[in-house]
Amino acid sequence: MTTYKTEFQRSIEQPDAFWAEQARRIPWFTPPSTILEYDEQDHARWFVDGELNICHAALDHHVDNGRGEQPAVFWDSPVSGGKRTLSYREMRDEVARVAGALRGLGVEKGDRVVIYMPMVPEALMAMYACARLGAVHSVVFGGFAPHELAVRIDDAKPKVVMAASCGVEIDRVIPYKPILDEAVAQSEHQPDACMILQRERQTATLGTRDRDWAELVAEAEPADCVPVKGSDPLYVLYTSGTTGKPKGVVRDTGGYAVALHYSMETIYDVAPGDVFFSASDVGWVVGHSYIVYAPLLRGCTTVVYEGKPVKTPDAGAFWRLISEYRVKSFFTAPTAFRAIKKEDPDGKLLDQYDISCLQALFLAGERLDPPTFHWLDDLLDVPVIDHWWQTETGWPIAANLQGLEPMPTKAGSATVPVPGFDVRILDREGERAKPMEQGSVVIKQPLPPGCLTGIWGDPQRFHSAYMAAFPGYYLTGDGGYFDEDGYLFIMGRTDDVINVAGHRLSTGEMEEVVGAHPAVAECAVIGIHDALKGQVPVGLVIPKDGFEGDEAALEEELIDRVRRQIGPVACFKQVLVVNRLPKTRSGKILRKLLRNIADGKEYGVPSTIDDPASLEDVHEAMKERSVGASHEARPL
Ligand code: COA
Ligand code: AMP
């Protein structure tokens, strides 16, 4: 670990010098003279006075330096039958025209643009076009419902919304335009215009506010890159918090570019010209960082995949893509491989492809569970690497650093903290935990470049959500421990955020939707273990006194409500009407206990419980309805 240890120590002891050096690796218009400073709340700000444009750094700079004819994007869409290769020059030129079209709609530096698009090259162009103008994009994942989109429109107040007419899932077309129309109808803020990409699979009827993407771009004057400050916002990405209101994570420009570039070398070990494939979606942080920005900042080719790990057409899809595009580094969520393993348990489909180009496989989004790790490790000849991060940090906090010093892997561990992240485990009192002792995983200030600089429109929330619990430390919301060798194990959230098929969701938000139903007196939504998706939500509902309706119909209605308000991505498919819920004497629902029962664990009955019989009732109800592994649960 010597190389790693030296680099890590330096990053913590001399953050200014360390990151100043890294900053020299990316092209600035004006290099920063101030590397690190602190704002009035003592939060780190990086490279505040440097000037750059990330679109220039990722596209124009490479075209100007001889990379113009190299593919920047391989787009592969088995669901729509499309394939397309775009060189750096083509991307730069197209992005410049899309930026010109946005400018024609009045978008200027600092304005927000909401992007609601599937995995098509135009989604990347839209993001880069915003960056080119210094506008702030906010991409919303296609699996969210109109209400969620409306909440984001109201919060970000975009001048323009960029959307596609439809997305394509495994077996059906999802019209995006009606979802957008409904969202705009629900939102108070009204964008000036919606720029609609008409896809062949299903075009949309355009209204008075809508503008046809192709027409606008054809008429547009290409726009040049607008210089922005290192600390100027590049994007806002909403993520689930513990309340119903999603948090708009604000990302700066300079720190992000420097951190992503560093990660491509140090963590992923890819060089300019290599092919990088991240099978995620532009709507998530993984997509922002490792489909859109990092690969192109590094001069790599990024694979943009509109498809699923299975059924498009089979569980060999990833192997096919790796082989066809000669992918060197591949990144996805463990849930995707659980889906593949279910369909092709012996990995037979791999025999059809030559994946000798692959150097390493990276997994994140949820903990790489040891069975999936072993399955992959046995199947492949390359390192299988779990690495841990979150929307807020924008890049990995812990990883096995392939470009610095590859280490032996340990099943269930994300290996070691990445240079820049001073990860600590604290107990309830805020004392540092000993090796093997589980506690709250925190990061000592300053957070390195690339991490969130605030919550959009709500500076206080940044402080209260992340900084207030342990002064001087950023609270990750995860629990975990270090082992005796300094390997970090992340064991799951300590709040009510759950992870469904690699998608981060809030049970608190689902409770708000369920609890708002007029027939519901009280409810709890818990995340229970699921063999495929990692976790899925289950609702437990007490109807109001005098409720005489049909319980099954109420359950259906609640499922439908969550689907309509949050979206299909919530995967909210099971609700149980119960008479009472186990609570403490002070009235707090014992959610952890409910989770343990649903997960089939032995559970203790706390002395603070108000009505022990309520527990038996709920356990019986869960068994009857086959909730999770509740039939295996036993009181201690
Ligand atoms: N637009 C519209 N709807 C979408 C969508 C999108 N972009 N993505 C998902 N949905 C819908 C799905 O159609 C599905 O709807 P349904 O309930 O009507 O069937 C629902 O949202 C849930 O989707 P998903 O969680 O993707 O479940 P699935 O059963 O279709 O697929 C997996 C399961 C494991 C194959 C899939 O979740 C997967 O590939 N996960 C990897 C996730 C990932 O890459 N995460 C990023 C972090 S790295
Ligand atoms: P998101 O913000 O959607 O990226 O989700 C972040 C959360 O996902 C983290 O706080 C963790 O709870 C979980 N997570 C992501 N990657 C990992 C990992 N490699 N190991 C354990 N948990 C992970």
Side-chain angles (χ1 to χ4, degrees):
M1 276 205 199
T2 31
T3 317
Y4 162 72
K5 273 196 174 142
T6 312
E7 176 128 336
F8 181 79
Q9 275 318 108
R10 209 172 144 246
S11 76
I12 302 303
E13 284 162 12
Q14 299 166 279
D16 292 67
F18 183 85
W19 290 109
E21 213 168 90
Q22 295 308 326
R24 286 196 279 277
R25 315 289 310 276
I26 63 154
W28 298 82
F29 297 137
T30 313
S33 61
T34 307
I35 302 303
L36 170 62
E37 64 175 41
Y38 293 88
D39 67 10
E40 60 288 350
Q41 287 185 320
D42 229 18
H43 304 147
R45 291 276 178 273
W46 294 93
F47 314 121
V48 283
D49 64 350
E51 282 197 326
L52 77 165
N53 184 294
I54 203 167
C55 181
H56 164 262
L59 294 173
D60 304 55
H61 170 74
H62 294 306
V63 176
D64 298 345
N65 286 278
R67 220 165 265 291
E69 309 327 311
Q70 180 195 309
V73 174
F74 288 134
W75 177 61
D76 192 298
S77 170
V79 287
S80 70
K83 278 190 189 186
R84 198 174 163 195
T85 299
L86 285 135
S87 68
Y88 269 88
R89 188 181 307 283
E90 287 167 324
M91 265 303 271
R92 195 263 324 255
D93 292 349
E94 195 62 18
V95 165
R97 277 192 296 272
V98 177
L102 281 177
R103 181 171 280 161
L105 295 174
V107 174
E108 287 169 22
K109 184 174 167 185
D111 287 338
R112 272 81 57 216
V113 174
V114 162
I115 299 173
Y116 189 62
M117 295 182 77
M119 287 292 287
V120 289
E122 288 82 356
L124 280 74
M125 291 171 191
M127 293 164 79
Y128 274 116
C130 293
R132 200 168 181 87
L133 298 177
V136 179
H137 62 67
S138 187
V139 183
V140 180
F141 177 60
F144 282 120
H147 171 75
E148 287 291 305
L149 181 54
V151 168
R152 286 154 174 79
I153 289 174
D154 271 335
D155 199 66
K157 301 194 175 28
K159 203 167 236 180
V160 170
V161 178
M162 302 171 90
S165 55
C166 69
V168 191
E169 280 290 284
I170 296 176
D171 47 2
R172 67 209 139 106
V173 170
I174 313 238
Y176 276 28
K177 182 63 181 15
I179 298 178
L180 172 62
D181 288 344
E182 203 181 321
V184 173
Q186 282 181 27
S187 57
E188 259 176 50
H189 172 83
Q190 296 295 298
D192 293 350
C194 295
M195 186 166 159
I196 308 294
L197 177 76
Q198 296 282 23
R199 297 192 74 189
E200 270 174 31
R201 283 298 293 270
Q202 189 167 330
T203 53
T205 312
L206 301 189
T208 46
R209 195 197 323 251
D210 304 321
R211 306 295 301 271
D212 181 88
W213 182 298
E215 280 173 20
L216 277 184
V217 172
E219 291 159 7
E221 275 292 309
D224 268 342
C225 292
V226 174
V228 302
K229 294 277 182 221
S231 53
D232 278 343
L234 171 65
Y235 64 77
V236 178
L237 177 58
Y238 289 87
T239 188
S240 301
T242 47
T243 67
K245 192 170 184 283
K247 291 189 276 211
V249 165
V250 181
R251 189 87 59 213
D252 67 358
T253 308
Y256 190 51
V258 171
L260 291 184
H261 189 271
Y262 175 72
S263 72
M264 291 302 271
E265 267 188 299
T266 311
I267 300 174
Y268 300 103
D269 190 26
V270 286
D274 288 342
V275 180
F276 193 87
F277 174 22
S278 174
S280 178
D281 188 286
V282 289
W284 305 112
V285 67
V286 175
H288 280 64
S289 295
Y290 293 106
I291 295 173
V292 181
Y293 289 114
L296 302 193
L297 278 166
R298 183 77 179 133
C300 297
T301 305
T302 185
V303 178
V304 176
Y305 175 52
E306 187 182 27
K308 296 269 173 176
V310 292
K311 299 194 171 74
T312 58
D314 59 29
F318 284 166
W319 313 134
R320 196 253 315 156
L321 285 144
I322 293 169
S323 158
E324 189 168 331
Y325 299 108
R326 307 313 294 158
V327 171
K328 184 168 174 194
S329 192
F330 177 49
F331 178 171
T332 192
T335 187
F337 275 113
R338 289 197 297 270
I340 291 171
K341 184 172 143 203
K342 199 166 155 220
E343 307 238 326
D344 181 20
D346 300 321
K348 288 214 164 56
L349 290 166
L350 179 57
D351 296 342
Q352 297 176 14
Y353 303 97
D354 166 17
I355 63 156
S356 53
C357 49
L358 188 69
Q359 183 179 273
L361 167 63
F362 292 87
L363 296 122
E366 54 174 325
R367 178 167 183 249
L368 174 57
D369 52 294
T372 308
F373 168 76
H374 290 301
W375 187 77
L376 285 165
D377 201 36
D378 290 345
L379 190 66
L380 302 174
D381 295 328
V382 299
V384 175
I385 294 161
D386 183 11
H387 60 330
W388 167 59
W389 50 304
Q390 36 185 227
T391 305
E392 289 85 344
T393 62
W395 64 294
I397 312 164
N400 194 331
L401 299 130
Q402 296 304 288
L404 186 64
E405 187 183 350
M407 293 175 193
T409 43
K410 288 193 190 187
S413 169
T415 317
V416 289
V418 169
F421 289 98
D422 190 356
V423 177
R424 309 271 176 101
I425 311 291
L426 301 184
D427 65 18
R428 272 175 209 279
E429 281 71 48
E431 296 298 324
R432 215 164 165 174
K434 296 192 187 66
M436 304 307 291
E437 262 177 29
Q438 201 157 319
S440 280
V441 188
V442 299
I443 303 165
K444 190 168 183 294
Q445 285 270 66
L447 289 173
C451 299
L452 81 166
T453 54
I455 300 297
W456 184 257
D458 195 351
Q460 207 37 49
R461 194 164 176 200
F462 178 35
H463 188 80
S464 59
Y466 303 106
M467 299 296 183
F470 300 107
Y473 298 91
Y474 163 86
L475 183 74
T476 66
D478 282 306
Y481 63 92
F482 278 109
D483 75 2
E484 305 281 356
D485 301 324
Y487 277 56
L488 181 62
F489 288 74
I490 298 296
M491 304 308 291
R493 298 288 301 196
T494 54
D495 52 19
D496 57 5
V497 165
I498 59 169
N499 209 304
V500 182
H503 309 318
R504 174 167 159 182
L505 297 156
S506 158
T507 52
E509 185 176 6
M510 293 182 215
E511 281 183 10
E512 281 184 25
V513 174
V514 172
H517 190 285
V520 172
E522 246 183 303
C523 71
V525 176
I526 54 170
I528 71 164
H529 176 74
D530 180 79
L532 176 64
K533 300 200 172 193
Q535 281 182 300
V536 287
V538 170
L540 296 155
V541 166
I542 306 177
K544 282 195 178 140
D545 280 351
F547 171 75
E548 285 178 359
D550 176 6
E551 287 185 2
L554 175 60
E555 291 175 0
E556 282 306 311
E557 256 177 64
L558 294 171
I559 289 170
D560 186 54
R561 257 185 183 231
V562 173
R563 193 178 169 90
R564 274 190 295 109
Q565 293 219 20
I566 298 178
V569 68
C571 222
F572 185 75
K573 298 198 167 160
Q574 201 166 27
V575 185
L576 269 62
V577 171
V578 293
N579 294 327
R580 42 195 178 164
L581 284 165
K583 288 184 188 166
T584 60
R585 276 190 280 278
S586 58
K588 211 167 153 245
I589 299 173
L590 292 158
R591 289 181 173 76
K592 189 160 178 230
L593 191 60
L594 292 169
R595 267 200 316 269
N596 285 344
I597 297 175
D599 288 344
K601 295 188 182 152
E602 286 196 333
Y603 60 92
V605 182
S607 54
T608 51
I609 196 164
D610 183 38
D611 172 12
S614 61
L615 200 57
E616 283 164 38
D617 273 11
V618 174
H619 192 174
E620 276 313 308
M622 283 192 189
K623 281 199 280 192
E624 206 174 292
R625 298 284 296 279
S626 309
V627 172
S630 53
H631 55 282
E632 287 173 15
R634 301 270 174 279
L636 279 169

